[in-house]
Amino acid sequence: MRKLFCLFLFFITALVQAQKPEKLSSSEIYSEIEKLNFLGSVLYVAAHPDDENTKLISYFSNELDARTAYLSLTRGDGGQNLIGPQLRELLGVIRTQELLAARKIDGGEQFFTRANDFGYSKTPEETLNIWNEEEVLKDVVRTIRSFKPDIIINRFDANSAGETHGHHTSSAILSSRAFDLAGKKSAYPMQAEKLRTWQPKKLFFNTSPWFYDSQEAFDAADKSHFLTFDTGVYFPLKGMSNTEIASLSRSQHQSQGFGSTGTRGSAAEYIELLKGEHPKNNKDIFHGINTTWTRVPGGKEIGEILAGVEKNFDFENPAASVPDLVKAYRLIQNLEDQHWREIKSEQIKTIIAASLGLYLEAVAGSSLATPGEEIKLNLEAINRSDIPAELVSIKLSPTGREIPANLSLTNNTPSAEEVNFTIPENINFTSPYWLNEEGSLGMYKVENKDLTGLPETPQELKVEFMVRINDEHIPFERDITYKFNDPVAGETYRPFEVVPAVSVTVGTEVMVFANGAPGKIPVTVKAMKNNISGILEPGKISGWKISPENHIFNTLRKGEELTFTFEVHPPAVQDKVTFNPVAVVNETEYSKTVLQMDYPHIPLQTLVLPNKTQLVKLDIQKRGNLIGYIPGAGDVVPQALEQIGYSVDMVDPAYISASSLAKYDAVVVGIRAYNTVEELRHRQAALFEFVEQGGNLILQYNTSRGLVTEELAPYKLQLSRDRVTDENAEVSFLAPNHPILNTPNKITSKDFERWVQERGLYFPDRWGKEFTPILAMNDKGETSKKGSLLVAPYGKGNFIYTGLSFFREFPAGVPGAFRLFANMISLGKNKPAPSKDNHNSN
């Protein structure tokens, strides 16, 4: 499991504070009333965070008032991170929250399957095999049966195998199959019995010129089955066009660098009918589908009342609508249709509270608590209207404890009360549910099926305020939250989290033993409640000696932490094992770490994760000592190089010069630096001069598009989209006698065992004759790719370009990756520059 090397601390802006109460303006209340009066729904389906078309999601939600959701089959765990070092599971958590932030802006809802984004896949066959096709299909059917969409729209073409990411094509394949299965009782019968079957009316493909060879080909295409929408509509009540809202939504994908500038004016979007009856009106996606209250038995009277509310809405006095809203609420409670009863009950309660200016809040005295701990809750209630209301009672969940109130809520008179609340002993930790159990390469393991598909773990601790309005008892449920006054940001909200009594954190994710010397591992014990005493045990690992046998800690206060050190003696042979220390408190074992990720565009994330560190004994030699590292899009390569004995300086690109770099044995450039660091456009001459004077310059992978300069190397070098996604693909040595494969470490095929996720990506496909290609590899059924590692002497030094995924292999503790990288740094050190034995060029 990924762990943080450091905690990123930022101020949380008011826009993204978790749990902050909604305070709707009159125009926002009116928009919600319009949505209350529309009973139609759309589900948009794709593979990853960022695949969704925010223009369409916002259009359906804000122009058509439809209930709209995005089903992302994965959480984007396999991508890169432009804002920090977190990859894999932690990146998936960040991207999950970015999607939720996006939906908060464009008005949609968010769902997922259990599919794990294992990295780039070239075919849907590979994708569906690794994902477990049947289980992911089951999850898609579950989402359809739960959300009950009238319309499903695929982002990708099910017939695009080999033309795009295998995940993309798979999302369309599974969506199409699920469209047919969701309405059949024989498909996943236990699920069907619980959720009931549902048959969507129409399935579309969100086509565009991008899916054609050219704009001309798209213009010439038969569009008789297309529906066309102008998604550039302007919303006076919001003061923005739909495309501006969509741009703000898309800009939440900050970990992928997808900031977007808003546009104004017409913007055509096209969807192509795949299944279902074609609408007679090619601009009305809901043509032939009843989207009024009359679609629900007993809904006619509700619709009539709410039509009057919408028609007569008073923007100066929204509370004037409350009597009729309460009448409609009462009728909604009598609907036999459970689906619409639940959805519309929540919608109308939000509108009633906003119209009254009803503010209800439950705030804990701290942001973290443990099972069995007693906390103080500050409860606040105020009605800011002339409509009479009474706070009848307050119920605490999940205990069910009820506190009578019988308090009249008169206009603008606040009511506050403090109560003690004991957290149940058997409550679950508020950590991402899909990370509670160890999954597989392609699937997350979720024991509680009711959680499957949800974007995040539901808050179990809630407070229900029972309010009587016009003789109707209406329950308003609020999550317990935490807030404080920040000297700069003012009122600041944080999620309220339940965590274990003790957090155990190892100070490093991977510890490499590059020689026979012992190493010291710091382990931090942190008390998450008061009066914690116990012992910290390192556990026993066959072949490894760890001392001492334990450390004792006594009477730690909540928030207090102590760091202990274990000395580890590795075996003589190369080995890789897992180190998992355990704190024992009152005979209870604690082995998980509580970590937090704090970025300004998403809520603070508190995670309770397995605490596992890889111990790697390497048979490795190195030359040189001091490395300069130019950061790129974020990776942990510098820390990995320090693990094998190098001293690493972080180099500010703004101050690069040949003289400032002269002290380094090698300069390593971080992943995607030439895509993200504009300053490098002006620093190539200095970098090349560093090489010419005897240094080694190592460039890690960059994407082929969006380079700040085309002059990556002193010789011809052209990047492509070539990649090898099979981490077990056979590796051939094109230049077996080259020093980079022999000095100071002899590289063999064994060094390419146990690689993770992929071999590499964005390999060059054309290079000058000065380069020597070192390795060849390919995915099944493809031609050999020779651009994964290229070396060229330049002056007294060496220029090296590599698309190999060292940034993934180092955190996984892959021995061969460390050995090969050490050879790259050591090339030519203490010996004359090697002669080349292969000058293949493309």
Side-chain angles (χ1 to χ4, degrees):
M1 187 65 65
R2 306 279 313 166
K3 294 191 288 292
L4 289 174
F5 281 97
C6 59
L7 177 64
F8 288 81
L9 297 176
F10 296 95
F11 292 120
I12 298 181
T13 63
L15 177 65
V16 298
Q17 289 175 17
Q19 311 299 318
K20 185 174 183 178
E22 285 189 304
K23 301 172 184 177
L24 303 182
S25 66
S26 289
S27 60
E28 290 170 325
I29 294 171
Y30 183 76
S31 294
E32 291 302 312
I33 291 171
E34 290 180 308
K35 292 181 180 181
L36 182 64
N37 281 333
F38 192 91
L39 280 72
S41 51
V42 179
L43 180 65
Y44 198 90
V45 180
H48 310 107
D50 86 348
D51 285 344
E52 81 275 26
N53 186 333
T54 55
K55 287 187 289 187
L56 274 183
I57 290 175
S58 178
Y59 179 84
F60 293 136
S61 177
N62 297 303
E63 171 66 7
L64 301 187
D65 297 318
R67 185 177 179 230
T68 309
Y70 174 43
L71 171 59
S72 176
L73 268 59
T74 76
R75 296 176 185 268
D77 328 73
Q80 283 80 55
N81 185 358
L82 297 186
I83 60 175
Q86 300 89 356
L87 294 175
R88 291 301 310 150
E89 290 85 357
L90 294 186
L91 177 58
V93 173
I94 292 172
R95 291 189 173 179
T96 293
Q97 291 300 318
E98 288 178 335
L99 277 174
L100 289 173
R103 298 294 81 77
K104 186 175 181 180
I105 291 170
D106 60 37
E109 299 177 45
Q110 185 64 51
F111 298 101
F112 295 93
T113 73
R114 289 169 292 160
N116 191 339
D117 179 2
F118 56 85
Y120 193 88
S121 175
K122 294 180 178 178
T123 68
E125 290 78 17
E126 177 192 44
T127 297
L128 296 173
N129 180 57
I130 294 176
W131 272 354
N132 188 331
E133 178 177 358
E134 192 64 24
E135 288 301 306
V136 181
L137 176 61
K138 183 178 181 180
D139 289 356
V140 179
V141 171
R142 169 182 282 273
T143 300
I144 294 172
R145 287 171 171 171
S146 299
F147 186 72
K148 301 190 184 323
D150 298 305
I151 308 294
I152 296 179
I153 301 175
N154 293 341
R155 181 66 177 115
F156 298 103
D157 183 359
N159 299 313
S160 63
E163 299 174 10
T164 182
H165 198 322
H167 296 185
H168 293 169
T169 308
S170 296
S171 71
I173 292 171
L174 294 175
S175 175
S176 181
R177 289 182 59 193
F179 179 92
D180 297 330
L181 293 175
K184 297 179 180 179
K185 291 183 179 180
S186 58
Y188 315 117
M190 293 180 64
Q191 181 194 96
E193 183 177 356
K194 185 170 186 177
L195 300 177
R196 299 187 180 181
T197 59
W198 179 256
Q199 182 55 59
K201 306 299 189 299
K202 299 168 188 176
L203 175 68
F204 292 92
F205 161 45
N206 182 194
T207 190
S208 71
W210 188 82
F211 292 98
Y212 289 73
D213 292 334
S214 64
Q215 180 68 49
E216 292 74 16
F218 178 75
D219 292 340
D222 178 10
K223 298 184 177 61
S224 60
H225 282 71
F226 285 19
L227 271 69
T228 306
F229 306 100
D230 180 3
T231 61
V233 293
Y234 176 69
F235 303 125
L237 290 179
K238 299 180 184 296
M240 287 187 290
S241 66
N242 184 73
T243 45
E244 289 174 306
I245 295 172
S247 174
L248 291 173
S249 173
R250 187 159 185 80
S251 294
Q252 299 310 302
H253 295 298
Q254 293 186 20
S255 66
Q256 303 186 67
F258 281 163
S260 175
T261 300
T263 61
R264 288 144 294 281
S266 297
E269 286 288 338
Y270 307 90
I271 59 175
E272 180 181 359
L273 183 70
L274 301 178
K275 296 181 180 182
E277 182 181 350
H278 191 276
K280 295 179 181 178
N281 182 344
N282 67 357
K283 296 183 183 295
D284 182 5
I285 193 172
F286 285 102
H287 184 82
I289 299 173
N290 186 358
T291 58
T292 72
W293 274 99
T294 59
R295 78 178 290 175
V296 180
K300 183 174 183 293
E301 184 179 356
I302 298 170
E304 291 171 350
I305 294 172
L306 293 178
V309 170
E310 184 175 338
K311 179 180 179 181
N312 301 313
F313 183 74
D314 186 346
F315 286 85
E316 295 292 331
N317 181 25
S321 299
V322 169
D324 282 339
L325 287 168
V326 172
K327 288 180 185 177
Y329 171 82
R330 185 180 296 120
L331 292 172
I332 289 172
Q333 305 318 297
N334 296 325
L335 292 176
E336 293 183 7
D337 189 313
Q338 179 183 356
H339 175 70
W340 286 113
R341 183 176 71 242
E342 292 177 354
I343 292 169
K344 294 303 178 181
S345 289
E346 292 306 311
Q347 286 183 349
I348 200 169
K349 284 197 295 183
T350 297
I351 294 168
I352 291 171
S355 299
L356 288 171
L358 184 63
Y359 185 91
L360 304 168
E361 187 174 69
V363 177
S366 64
S367 62
L368 301 175
T370 61
E373 183 177 353
E374 184 177 81
I375 63 171
K376 292 186 180 300
L377 282 181
N378 293 304
L379 307 176
E380 180 181 351
I382 186 171
N383 167 25
R384 290 168 288 184
S385 75
D386 289 327
I387 301 294
E390 179 186 356
L391 179 61
V392 178
S393 63
I394 298 168
K395 183 187 291 185
L396 307 178
S397 295
T399 64
R401 175 187 168 194
E402 190 165 336
I403 304 170
N406 299 318
L407 177 67
S408 178
L409 299 177
T410 56
N411 189 357
N412 215 28
T413 301
S415 170
E417 184 176 355
E418 182 180 272
V419 300
N420 293 328
F421 178 49
T422 301
I423 309 294
E425 291 280 2
N426 62 347
I427 198 167
N428 296 309
F429 302 135
T430 50
S431 187
Y433 69 86
W434 62 96
L435 300 181
N436 287 339
E437 304 289 337
E438 186 171 355
S440 64
L441 173 64
M443 294 290 293
Y444 282 119
K445 184 178 180 181
V446 179
E447 293 290 351
N448 184 349
K449 301 306 180 188
D450 291 337
L451 297 177
T452 300
L454 298 182
E456 56 186 346
T457 306
Q459 174 65 268
E460 290 185 69
L461 297 174
K462 297 177 181 291
V463 174
E464 180 188 276
F465 296 84
M466 183 62 75
V467 180
R468 182 162 55 219
I469 308 168
N470 282 15
D471 293 326
E472 182 70 22
H473 286 67
I474 303 178
F476 294 92
E477 195 172 68
R478 298 290 185 265
D479 289 344
I480 294 175
T481 188
Y482 170 70
K483 70 176 180 181
F484 62 96
N485 184 71
D486 184 277
V488 176
E491 185 180 62
T492 301
Y493 281 81
R494 294 275 175 92
F496 177 72
E497 312 281 7
V498 178
V499 297
V502 179
S503 169
V504 180
T505 306
V506 182
T508 182
E509 183 179 17
V510 176
M511 184 162 186
V512 177
F513 298 81
N515 51 50
K520 295 183 182 296
I521 301 183
V523 181
T524 299
V525 174
K526 184 174 183 178
M528 311 309 290
K529 62 184 293 187
N530 284 325
N531 300 319
I532 293 294
S533 300
I535 60 174
L536 177 65
E537 300 176 343
K540 295 183 178 180
I541 304 173
S542 178
W544 295 67
K545 180 182 177 182
I546 304 177
S547 62
E549 291 186 358
N550 60 59
H551 289 284
I552 298 174
F553 52 92
N554 288 306
T555 323
L556 298 184
R557 298 183 303 274
K558 185 174 183 177
E560 186 178 0
E561 60 183 34
L562 290 175
T563 299
F564 302 99
T565 300
F566 290 100
E567 186 170 87
V568 179
H569 294 257
V573 297
Q574 186 162 292
D575 195 14
K576 178 181 174 183
V577 296
T578 299
F579 175 62
N580 186 17
V582 176
V584 182
V585 178
N586 296 328
E587 299 184 348
T588 299
E589 294 187 349
Y590 297 91
S591 62
K592 293 190 175 183
T593 182
V594 178
L595 64 85
Q596 293 184 316
M597 297 187 297
D598 201 354
Y599 287 102
H601 66 303
I602 60 175
L604 172 72
Q605 295 298 296
T606 300
L607 299 90
V608 180
L609 299 177
N611 185 44
K612 297 179 180 179
T613 291
Q614 300 296 318
L615 304 183
V616 183
K617 169 60 171 65
L618 285 182
D619 175 13
I620 189 172
Q621 302 293 323
K622 70 179 185 66
R623 291 176 181 166
N625 179 56
L626 186 59
I627 307 298
Y629 199 87
I630 302 173
D635 57 56
V636 295
V637 173
Q639 294 91 333
L641 297 179
E642 290 176 337
Q643 289 272 355
I644 57 176
Y646 286 105
S647 296
V648 181
D649 290 345
M650 303 305 286
V651 176
D652 186 341
Y655 299 101
I656 289 176
S657 67
S659 59
S660 70
L661 299 179
K663 61 184 176 181
Y664 297 117
D665 295 297
V667 171
V668 180
V669 183
I671 63 171
R672 295 181 67 177
Y674 287 91
N675 301 122
T676 59
V677 183
E678 183 67 28
E679 187 65 33
L680 287 177
R681 177 196 303 270
H682 312 293
R683 302 299 169 185
Q684 290 303 85
L687 288 170
F688 295 162
E689 186 177 347
F690 162 74
V691 180
E692 193 171 23
Q693 293 176 359
N696 287 340
L697 179 62
I698 302 171
L699 268 61
Q700 298 179 86
Y701 101 92
N702 291 270
T703 62
S704 54
R705 290 187 295 182
L707 293 167
V708 299
T709 177
E710 297 294 330
E711 192 182 1
L712 294 177
Y715 309 116
K716 174 185 175 183
L717 184 70
Q718 177 180 294
L719 303 186
S720 73
R721 297 180 64 85
D722 287 350
R723 62 204 303 162
V724 176
T725 62
D726 182 358
E727 63 269 34
N728 299 309
E730 182 180 356
V731 178
S732 300
F733 297 166
L734 297 175
N737 298 320
H738 195 285
I740 208 167
L741 294 177
N742 294 277
T743 305
N745 304 289
K746 178 66 175 178
I747 303 300
T748 70
S749 58
K750 188 175 180 63
D751 288 296
F752 291 94
E753 294 177 358
R754 289 195 265 180
W755 281 49
V756 299
Q757 187 158 328
E758 61 200 356
R759 289 296 190 198
L761 63 171
Y762 289 96
F763 299 161
D765 62 351
R766 294 182 182 277
W767 51 84
K769 60 181 175 53
E770 296 85 359
F771 281 103
T772 297
I774 304 298
L775 306 171
M777 58 192 73
N778 60 273
D779 284 319
K780 184 179 179 180
E782 294 191 355
T783 58
S784 180
K785 305 295 186 291
K786 300 179 180 180
S788 64
L789 179 58
L790 301 172
V791 184
Y794 184 68
K796 299 177 183 179
N798 297 280
F799 180 92
I800 302 170
Y801 188 93
T802 179
L804 294 171
S805 297
F806 291 102
F807 71 103
R808 297 197 190 280
E809 312 316 317
F810 287 162
V814 177
F818 286 96
R819 287 163 44 82
L820 179 56
F821 211 99
N823 281 14
M824 290 160 55
I825 292 173
S826 303
L827 187 61
K829 301 302 174 185
N830 303 325
K831 286 188 177 182
S835 60
K836 295 173 48 175
D837 62 356
N838 192 325
H839 286 278
N840 288 353
S841 62
N842 285 350

